[in-house]
Amino acid sequence: MSDLEAPLRPKRKKVWVDYFVQFRWILVIFLVLPISFTLYFLTYLGDVKSEMKSYKQRLKEHDENVQKVVKRLKERNPSKDGLVCTARKPWIAVGMRNVDYKRARHFEVDLSAFRNILEIDKERMVARVEPLVNMGQISRASVPMNLSLAVVAELDDLTVGGLINGYGIEGSSHIYGLFSDTVVAYEIVLADGRVVRATKDNEYSDLFYAIPWSQGTLGLLVSAEIKLIPIKEYMRLTYKPVVGNLKELAQAYMDSFAPRDGDQDNPEKVPDFVETMIYNSTEGVMMTGRYASKEEAKKKGNVINNVGWWFKPWFYQHAQTALKKGEFVEYIPTREYYHRHTRCLYWEGKLILPFADQWWFRFLLGWMMPPKVSLLKATQGEAIRNYYHEMHVIQDMLVPLYKVGDALEWVHKEMEVYPLWLCPHRLFKLPVKTMVYPEPGFEHQRRQGDTSYAQMYTDVGVYYSPGPVLRGEVFDGADAVRRMEDWLVENRGFQPQYAVSELNEKKFWRMFDADLYEHCRKKYEAVGTFMSVYYKSKKGRKTEKEVQEAEQAHLETAYAEAN
């Protein structure tokens, strides 16, 4: 058996959950899809209503809602009430991780009113938004102005708060970094009720750098000021098929956006957008995009593809056609390009509704897609949740760009998940060491994609049922995730905490750096008020006793051992 061959596994006996999952599409079509469409429509009406308000009215309502949060925090009795968390229901979160920390006794603070775009400042090129504003909402408001967030995550439902406190990436991240790297200022309500504005160069600069990846455990985010960039009406997208082994596919991916001469800041050599999809161990399609004006797009002979129409083929399948017809170029309306993966949830839609990619379904019911992830979670019980944890993978592996080939081979051998999504991002060298940080001395190596101020990383998106599961073989999902996490720790990689994690506390703080985070936890009195980031991310139910013990553990922490 070669190094890339997956091990032979015995067949797995089917249980009742297998059949429930197999026919879950019935529930999705007749219940989840109609309710999802209704909720999408009502949310849209709410967004329109918000946009009709004057700037002064939106700001007044914002300030009033902030004071309600402050008042609520001050009502908490630390000796009697549980730790603070938002009143958002556990199943509403878009991430796949079960929000088990809310099963313990806790003190809820309602942030549901914070869903407004407060201002789009064309002079400062900054958008000030509240944390529940989602990507669909902000792109709908900004794109007609030929403006956009520097990083627009692909799925409409992803919120600003989740992308800041957690993890957010897009095809422009090889230029601008992760979503949190584009934030100019945070408005935070601290544990003691103080409202502060944190920037990289004011008295709260330590808090500014500690907020990303903290999962809301340092304070309550009530607004953010985010960088805007000028854009054009269309995206000129080039699809380039590549055939070869995984290392060759990895090199072709690197070459698609990272000049070998190291001229990474040259816009003539570096595209505006990059992504790659690996369809199997020998085939992939590299996509590079550049903004284009409507005049250019509508020139005779150019192909315009409105990928956002409900009846259009799913984007990942459309891109796959390049493997048969060869390299081609087309123009996609910019906003439709931003949200190209929304309708099919990348390719997860194929598992949820196996026939939803067929032409007849797209024409008849495609306008109701996608089902809301929150409703999918709300309609699954404990047994179904556990089944997906064992038989299904939704993980992102953030690895140094030069190790992307090794990562692809590891996923093929251990999980056999295809397609795979590749998206590069910069990891900046900052004045302080944050939870995620580049490799020490990377600037002296100057590997492909790196600059003196940022190391190029890449996201390897692993979303689908593993090959052994599709073949009916035994597969231990929890063990596979543990091995993936070990591989990431050994290779200076990171695992976004929206996903299910099997890390123990010691390994968690080997993967992430604790110093600045714990400094801010103590300085801003978050200890004893907000749950620690590890415990909030930890898999499994949390009892009140466990929560209290975890909070006491900061006096004798596992990350200190790791250091």
Side-chain angles (χ1 to χ4, degrees):
M1 184 173 71
S2 71
D3 290 342
L4 283 184
E5 286 184 28
L8 297 175
R9 308 170 190 262
K11 290 292 184 180
R12 185 178 67 87
K13 290 184 179 180
K14 284 192 174 184
V15 294
W16 69 270
V17 182
D18 291 280
Y19 298 102
F20 191 93
V21 170
Q22 183 180 350
F23 294 101
R24 195 182 176 204
W25 61 266
I26 299 172
L27 180 68
V28 173
I29 284 184
F30 293 105
L31 181 66
V32 175
L33 275 184
I35 296 177
S36 295
F37 180 79
T38 303
L39 290 177
Y40 283 128
F41 182 68
L42 292 176
T43 301
Y44 170 74
L45 292 180
D47 296 343
V48 172
K49 182 180 177 181
S50 173
E51 291 170 13
M52 293 174 65
K53 297 175 183 176
S54 68
Y55 167 70
K56 287 185 177 179
Q57 185 179 359
R58 289 196 299 268
L59 196 60
K60 180 184 176 183
E61 291 179 1
H62 173 76
D63 292 339
E64 290 173 350
N65 289 328
V66 170
Q67 289 309 308
K68 290 178 183 177
V69 172
V70 172
K71 181 182 177 182
R72 175 65 175 159
L73 277 176
K74 289 183 176 180
E75 290 173 351
R76 175 176 174 264
N77 185 336
S79 63
K80 293 182 180 180
D81 297 318
L83 297 173
V84 173
C85 66
T86 66
R88 206 177 186 192
K89 298 300 180 187
W91 48 269
I92 291 180
V94 175
M96 291 297 101
R97 171 174 56 88
N98 295 331
V99 190
D100 289 321
Y101 63 89
K102 289 192 177 182
R103 296 169 185 257
R105 184 172 66 100
H106 56 271
F107 184 83
E108 292 188 345
V109 178
D110 187 5
L111 299 181
S112 60
F114 291 90
R115 55 183 321 110
N116 297 308
I117 299 172
L118 299 176
E119 183 183 16
I120 294 180
D121 189 332
K122 297 180 182 179
E123 291 186 6
R124 292 177 59 217
M125 290 297 282
V126 164
R128 187 181 178 209
V129 299
E130 293 180 322
L132 292 184
V133 168
N134 64 36
M135 292 299 97
Q137 181 181 354
I138 187 66
S139 66
R140 188 164 53 244
S142 65
V143 169
M145 304 177 189
N146 279 355
L147 296 174
S148 171
L149 299 183
V151 175
V152 183
E154 290 90 346
L155 303 184
D156 285 25
D157 269 0
L158 296 175
T159 63
V160 166
L163 295 168
I164 288 172
N165 283 310
Y167 160 77
I169 192 173
E170 207 338 14
S172 59
S173 289
H174 66 296
I175 299 173
Y176 301 105
L178 297 177
F179 187 87
S180 56
D181 292 317
T182 67
V183 177
V184 176
Y186 302 109
E187 184 183 14
I188 304 287
V189 181
L190 300 177
D192 61 3
R194 283 183 296 156
V195 182
V196 303
R197 180 175 180 268
T199 71
K200 65 181 180 180
D201 50 14
N202 71 1
E203 61 184 305
Y204 300 105
S205 61
D206 53 355
L207 184 63
F208 175 84
Y209 287 115
I211 288 292
W213 293 74
S214 68
Q215 299 289 334
T217 60
L218 296 174
L220 297 173
L221 177 69
V222 289
S223 77
E225 297 168 44
I226 309 172
K227 179 180 180 178
L228 290 169
I229 59 170
I231 61 169
K232 296 179 182 179
E233 296 88 351
Y234 284 85
M235 186 67 64
R236 182 184 186 275
L237 197 63
T238 301
Y239 303 78
K240 182 178 180 180
V242 177
V243 177
N245 60 40
L246 289 172
K247 284 292 178 69
E248 291 168 340
L249 296 181
Q251 187 59 56
Y253 162 64
M254 295 166 65
D255 291 341
S256 70
F257 68 92
R260 293 197 183 191
D261 62 5
D263 198 6
Q264 194 64 42
D265 290 321
N266 187 340
E268 298 297 321
K269 298 180 180 180
V270 179
D272 296 322
F273 275 78
V274 178
E275 74 175 329
T276 285
M277 285 180 268
I278 307 295
Y279 290 95
N280 54 56
S281 61
T282 59
E283 295 178 318
V285 175
M286 321 291 151
M287 284 154 282
T288 54
R290 292 184 180 274
Y291 287 112
S293 66
K294 60 183 176 182
E295 291 77 17
E296 177 186 339
K298 293 182 179 181
K299 285 182 180 178
K300 186 176 180 180
N302 288 342
V303 176
I304 294 178
N305 183 6
N306 294 92
V307 298
W309 285 100
W310 76 91
F311 53 81
K312 286 282 189 172
W314 288 357
F315 183 76
Y316 84 95
Q317 294 178 337
H318 169 66
Q320 193 174 9
T321 61
L323 292 171
K324 289 186 177 180
K325 66 181 185 181
E327 183 174 334
F328 66 95
V329 177
E330 63 184 12
Y331 292 80
I332 300 175
T334 296
R335 185 168 184 270
E336 294 183 28
Y337 174 77
Y338 284 162
H339 303 295
R340 61 201 177 279
H341 292 299
T342 292
R343 270 192 305 129
C344 53
L345 300 174
Y346 287 91
W347 29 88
E348 286 289 310
K350 184 70 174 174
L351 284 177
I352 299 165
L353 290 168
F355 43 78
D357 59 337
Q358 301 300 305
W359 67 267
W360 57 269
F361 183 94
R362 298 199 312 270
F363 271 94
L364 295 176
L365 295 174
W367 51 274
M368 286 201 291
M369 291 290 283
K372 286 186 78 70
V373 173
S374 57
L375 284 178
L376 291 171
K377 292 170 67 176
T379 54
Q380 65 185 24
E382 187 99 14
I384 303 298
R385 284 198 305 167
N386 293 335
Y387 177 91
Y388 281 125
H389 287 175
E390 290 295 325
M391 304 296 167
H392 186 231
V393 177
I394 295 186
Q395 295 283 345
D396 286 274
M397 303 170 63
L398 309 189
V399 299
L401 181 62
Y402 70 93
K403 292 189 176 182
V404 63
D406 297 334
L408 292 179
E409 291 185 342
W410 188 93
V411 173
H412 176 80
K413 182 179 178 181
E414 299 292 339
M415 293 181 173
E416 285 187 86
V417 171
Y418 291 102
L420 294 171
W421 185 65
L422 303 183
C423 183
H425 70 89
R426 275 177 165 160
L427 205 53
F428 293 100
K429 184 170 67 172
L430 300 172
V432 292
K433 195 174 183 182
T434 56
M435 281 185 64
V436 296
Y437 54 95
E439 293 179 295
F442 76 89
E443 63 272 29
H444 304 302
Q445 300 291 332
R446 295 304 293 266
R447 298 183 180 92
Q448 190 172 358
D450 293 352
T451 62
S452 61
Y453 58 88
Q455 183 178 10
M456 194 67 73
Y457 266 60
T458 187
D459 183 341
V460 180
V462 188
Y463 326 125
Y464 210 62
S465 286
V469 173
L470 297 176
R471 294 191 296 269
E473 299 169 359
V474 170
F475 183 80
D476 188 336
D479 185 60
V481 170
R482 275 191 289 271
R483 293 197 306 274
M484 181 200 78
E485 291 165 342
D486 289 342
W487 190 91
L488 286 173
V489 170
E490 292 168 4
N491 288 274
R492 284 291 295 120
F494 302 98
Q495 174 195 34
Q497 293 305 303
Y498 79 87
V500 176
S501 173
E502 300 289 341
L503 288 167
N504 60 36
E505 192 168 5
K506 190 171 183 177
K507 287 184 178 180
F508 184 90
W509 291 119
R510 282 187 62 201
M511 181 180 288
F512 302 101
D513 189 81
D515 290 348
L516 177 65
Y517 171 76
E518 278 301 323
H519 162 77
C520 288
R521 287 268 294 168
K522 294 169 185 174
K523 179 179 177 180
Y524 298 107
E525 301 177 17
V527 176
T529 302
F530 301 104
M531 189 177 292
S532 70
V533 65
Y534 166 72
Y535 213 74
K536 192 171 182 179
S537 305
K538 181 176 177 287
K539 179 181 174 183
R541 291 177 179 269
K542 281 85 172 173
T543 66
E544 184 179 345
K545 181 181 178 183
E546 286 176 323
V547 170
Q548 291 172 343
E549 289 175 350
E551 280 305 298
Q552 289 298 320
H554 81 275
L555 299 173
E556 196 174 337
T557 50
Y559 67 82
E561 296 178 24
N563 287 339

